[in-house]
Amino acid sequence: MQALKGFKDILPDEARLWQRVEGTARDIFRRFGFEEIKVPILEKTGLFARSIGEATDIVEKEMYTFSDRNGESITMRPEGTAPVLRAFIEHALHLRRPINRLFTVGPMFRHERPQKGRLRQFHQLSVEALGADHPRLDAEVIAMARQLLVELGLKAELQLNSLGCPDCRPAYRAKLVEFLSGHREQLCEDCRRRVESNPLRVLDCKSANCRRLNAEAPAILGSLCAPCDQHLARVRQDLDALQIPYTMNPFMVRGLDYYTRTTFELLTDALGAQSAVGAGGRYDGLVKQLGGPDLPGIGFAMGLERLVLLLQEQEQAAAAGPDLFLACLGEPAAAYGFTLLQKCRLAGLSALMDIQGRGLKSQMKQADRLHARHVLIIGEDELNAGQAVLRNLDSKEERQVALDDELTALLPLLQS
Ligand code: ATP
Ligand code: MG
């Protein structure tokens, strides 16, 4: 018997990293005043269709939807915002606090093509701040998302955009549809359909042709109404005040229809195509749309699998061996090598050599076992010529390097 495709067991070695991610998140969320809420995995299908949007990938083709034994259509949640908002409305939590800061952790389900960092059951930390449309709340929520990466020691780029509001987005949408209609033949099949059903999603298409075209498409930032423009300017001002670096990406659209104004993503270049570790944005009309009071909100979700993958890569890098293993043949070479070793160490590099005068083969084995990044082989010939071969054990690349007193050629190669 085997697990379902796209469904993964998390074994104890990995569970240790999951605990670290969750523990760090819980601590940071507490410092920012967020409280945990636990919501069910199953909801009525209509909840997701109404919030995420009918013409989105998630609702069109990714949901685990089925009829239960009473014939009611139910769905395994593909994301956390809709269930949390449903609970918020059902229990009138807005009466409890003027601003509710909530988070939930748990599995989500999407029927996608499984790959590294992309599963059918995956886990999210899902965060919602409900009750205020002040731009400072946006900056606060973004700061909290970023802080999790900072405290896990992970690098990610923060990208920011605004998707406007129901006042200004229709005009932009029309502009975009006009542009896309004029270049219909350059779009992929899916995007030709999206021009009518969900034109903003075209901007998010990964196909090469669509991407080329998108670079010339009108950007939404030029079409924002004055209040949206001002909102964005204030968010940027507050991010600057917190010294949080970001880049503007006017073509970032999100896969869910409910976003308004601020949207953001945290991106890494370490996970191949699965570059987003977290993403979110403002959704001012959503609570009302789901039958609740007219309250604004902003939130984000982080993928736990992707955070854990990044931590695993970080651990592997930290477990790497010395920058240099020196293989010396014969006493004159060993004597020279001994001084070279010292120079490397004083230059801040980690370097080791065999001091027992073993043969080349066993020295090479030792370098391998230590996971050395480079090996430099010095024998009598190399000593006389004043140059030797440096081999990079990761890339297998070899280079001749001159051995002058300052090691001017060698040190930069070892540092890179
Ligand atoms: P992607 O562009 O990678 O499909 P998305 O826009 O669908 O991401 P969101 O719905 O915004 O993602 O979810 C937020 C986060 O949840 C993502 O940034 C990612 O870390 C994680 N995530 C989303 N889908 C999956 C999945 N199928 N497997 C693992 N993690 C996922
Ligand atoms: Mg997706």
Side-chain angles (χ1 to χ4, degrees):
M1 298 283 259
Q2 291 191 330
L4 291 168
K5 190 173 161 201
F7 288 67
K8 206 178 111 188
D9 300 309
I10 294 152
L11 304 181
D13 270 349
E14 197 184 316
R16 179 178 56 82
L17 294 176
W18 282 73
Q19 286 162 11
R20 190 165 135 215
V21 173
E22 268 196 58
T24 310
R26 283 176 188 282
D27 182 50
I28 294 169
F29 293 174
R30 179 189 56 78
R31 276 140 61 195
F32 279 79
F34 281 72
E35 302 172 289
E36 183 167 10
I37 179 169
K38 290 174 183 286
V39 288
I41 284 170
L42 297 177
E43 296 277 355
K44 289 180 186 165
T45 302
L47 173 66
F48 301 108
R50 261 170 78 185
S51 57
I52 298 170
E54 297 278 2
T56 57
D57 283 355
I58 295 181
V59 173
E60 270 183 353
K61 49 192 187 203
E62 294 175 358
M63 292 203 308
Y64 280 86
T65 296
F66 52 91
S67 301
D68 73 1
R69 289 174 189 276
N70 305 324
E72 184 171 20
S73 178
I74 55 181
T75 293
M76 297 172 75
R77 60 184 191 196
E79 56 106 46
T81 300
V84 169
L85 263 50
R86 197 260 317 129
F88 173 82
I89 297 165
E90 191 171 329
H91 303 284
L93 293 185
H94 64 287
L95 301 176
R96 176 176 162 263
R97 297 202 196 299
I99 297 180
N100 276 268
R101 297 158 181 262
L102 305 169
F103 76 91
T104 194
V105 191
M108 306 294 161
F109 303 84
R110 296 184 195 173
H111 197 277
E112 311 196 62
R113 197 165 65 77
Q115 305 159 54
K116 179 181 179 187
R118 190 176 296 284
L119 290 130
R120 289 180 172 172
Q121 174 175 331
F122 62 101
H123 299 73
Q124 283 184 340
L125 286 160
S126 185
V127 171
E128 324 295 338
L130 299 157
D133 63 2
H134 198 288
R136 196 151 277 161
L137 188 61
D138 306 29
E140 209 181 341
V141 164
I142 293 172
M144 184 169 86
R146 192 186 88 109
Q147 192 59 21
L148 177 57
L149 291 161
V150 169
E151 293 190 23
L152 290 172
L154 300 173
K155 281 200 190 64
E157 185 194 15
L158 172 62
Q159 290 192 352
L160 190 68
N161 192 21
S162 173
L163 291 181
C165 68
D167 282 341
C168 54
R169 193 157 37 185
Y172 171 69
R173 191 186 143 115
K175 235 197 243 179
L176 184 64
V177 169
E178 194 189 312
F179 170 84
L180 295 173
S181 304
H183 299 83
R184 198 172 263 277
E185 65 300 337
Q186 280 159 267
L187 293 170
C188 72
E189 208 176 303
D190 278 346
C191 283
R192 272 178 223 168
R193 217 166 22 84
R194 287 185 185 126
V195 174
E196 277 80 38
S197 66
N198 202 347
L200 266 72
R201 289 294 284 161
V202 176
L203 298 177
D204 201 30
C205 183
K206 307 282 186 289
S207 95
N209 279 344
C210 295
R211 277 167 65 166
R212 215 168 302 134
L213 185 63
N214 287 338
E216 292 158 33
I220 191 162
L221 292 179
S223 300
L224 296 180
C225 59
C228 284
D229 218 27
Q230 223 164 43
H231 186 93
L232 178 62
R234 288 293 307 272
V235 174
R236 297 181 64 169
Q237 209 178 317
D238 282 331
L239 288 175
D240 290 342
L242 299 183
Q243 296 185 315
I244 292 176
Y246 62 88
T247 51
M248 291 303 299
N249 175 1
F251 298 108
M252 178 179 56
V253 287
R254 306 279 313 115
L256 311 97
D257 279 352
Y258 51 60
Y259 285 114
T260 53
R261 294 192 166 170
T262 313
T263 53
F264 63 97
E265 287 193 354
L266 286 155
L267 303 168
T268 147
D269 48 18
L271 293 177
Q274 278 56 254
S275 59
V277 278
R282 187 164 268 292
Y283 43 76
D284 289 344
L286 187 57
V287 179
K288 184 164 177 227
Q289 193 182 313
L290 291 175
D294 190 3
L295 288 173
I298 177 167
F300 68 82
M302 298 263 226
L304 281 168
E305 279 77 4
R306 294 187 194 174
L307 290 173
V308 166
L309 276 171
L310 289 169
L311 286 179
Q312 283 172 331
E313 289 187 7
Q314 187 193 56
E315 283 196 344
Q316 267 164 22
D323 298 313
L324 177 68
F325 185 86
L326 208 52
C328 299
L329 299 167
E331 176 48 31
Y336 170 79
F338 190 54
T339 62
L340 190 150
L341 197 67
Q342 177 79 344
K343 285 179 193 161
C344 289
R345 290 169 175 171
L346 296 185
L349 294 159
S350 54
L352 280 174
M353 70 184 277
D354 168 56
I355 50 170
Q356 289 165 291
R358 280 185 277 202
L360 182 61
K361 210 166 150 196
S362 85
Q363 292 196 50
M364 293 306 281
K365 249 194 216 151
Q366 205 179 335
D368 241 12
R369 260 204 305 271
L370 288 167
H371 301 294
R373 290 176 53 226
H374 302 88
V375 179
L376 188 72
I377 303 172
I378 307 179
E380 221 177 286
D381 291 348
E382 284 77 11
L383 211 52
N384 293 334
Q387 53 178 359
V389 172
L390 180 73
R391 176 197 266 241
N392 182 322
L393 292 187
D394 298 327
S395 66
K396 308 287 174 230
E397 201 184 324
E398 295 195 343
R399 295 179 67 149
Q400 282 280 351
V401 288
L403 300 174
D404 56 74
D405 280 349
E406 277 78 43
L407 301 179
T408 34
L410 182 63
L411 292 180
L413 287 174
L414 295 178
Q415 277 152 349
S416 66

